Amino acid sequence: MEIERKFLIETPPPDAEGYPHETIEQGYLCTDPVVRVRRKGERFILTCKGPGLMVREEFELPLTEEAYRGLLAKADGTVITKERYYLPYGAYTIELDRFGPPFAPLTVAEVEFPTREEALAFTPPDWFGREVTGDPAYTNAGMSRKKD
């Protein structure tokens, strides 16, 4: 189960680049239901996500690099690249995503939670912008379908 809230970021904290980070590349084989292939560093993952925005089922399976490359070639829409920074925030981790072209300079923060109740009770830091959790245009699957 994936439980997360998502926010737009206008000005990330100045020390964000000092936190652990990795490059992510991902493509969508299908967006309804969501079937994604992703490269995170040297890890390759096939992900299936159920319906929903804040709360939904999510399953991940490891892939070989060869399987990832073969599936990525079949991706429908735009392949997304982003740099993800991991910032501690109390009991949570803020995943700060800085998107590459054609979505740059879009920056989004996601926070995952163990329960729906914790997600609803979460108070974001002052530097977070507008919440877009309920806006399907800001899901990565939705973004991959946008035309230039």
Side-chain angles (χ1 to χ4, degrees):
M1 182 72 62
E2 175 184 62
I3 304 168
E4 69 180 12
R5 289 179 61 189
K6 187 178 291 198
F7 301 82
L8 295 179
I9 305 300
E10 293 297 324
T11 307
D15 62 346
E17 296 206 13
Y19 286 96
H21 57 94
E22 63 188 337
T23 301
I24 296 174
E25 174 185 65
Q26 60 194 38
Y28 289 82
L29 303 173
C30 183
T31 58
D32 187 20
V34 172
V35 179
R36 172 186 79 201
V37 292
R38 172 184 271 181
R39 177 183 183 156
K40 287 176 78 173
E42 295 306 313
R43 293 174 290 148
F44 305 93
I45 307 156
L46 172 70
T47 304
C48 299
K49 294 186 179 201
L53 293 170
M54 186 175 82
V55 179
R56 62 186 173 171
E57 293 289 329
E58 178 180 78
F59 301 96
E60 293 187 339
L61 298 167
L63 292 172
T64 64
E65 182 174 0
E66 181 180 5
Y68 167 77
R69 296 233 175 267
L71 290 169
L72 186 67
K74 296 172 178 19
D76 187 21
T78 302
V79 172
I80 293 173
T81 59
K82 57 189 176 181
E83 193 71 17
R84 173 168 286 172
Y85 297 83
Y86 298 93
L87 287 70
Y89 185 70
Y92 307 107
T93 298
I94 296 168
E95 295 177 347
L96 184 69
D97 290 341
R98 290 185 171 163
F99 288 84
F103 305 106
L106 179 65
T107 302
V108 174
E110 296 179 357
V111 182
E112 292 194 17
F113 303 92
T115 67
R116 186 176 198 281
E117 293 72 25
E118 282 188 50
L120 293 173
F122 176 72
T123 301
D126 293 340
W127 54 272
F128 275 28
R130 176 171 63 96
E131 182 167 7
V132 293
T133 301
D135 187 342
Y138 288 96
T139 65
N140 285 209
M143 291 168 52
S144 76
R145 307 285 301 174
K146 290 181 182 173
K147 304 292 181 212
D148 290 342

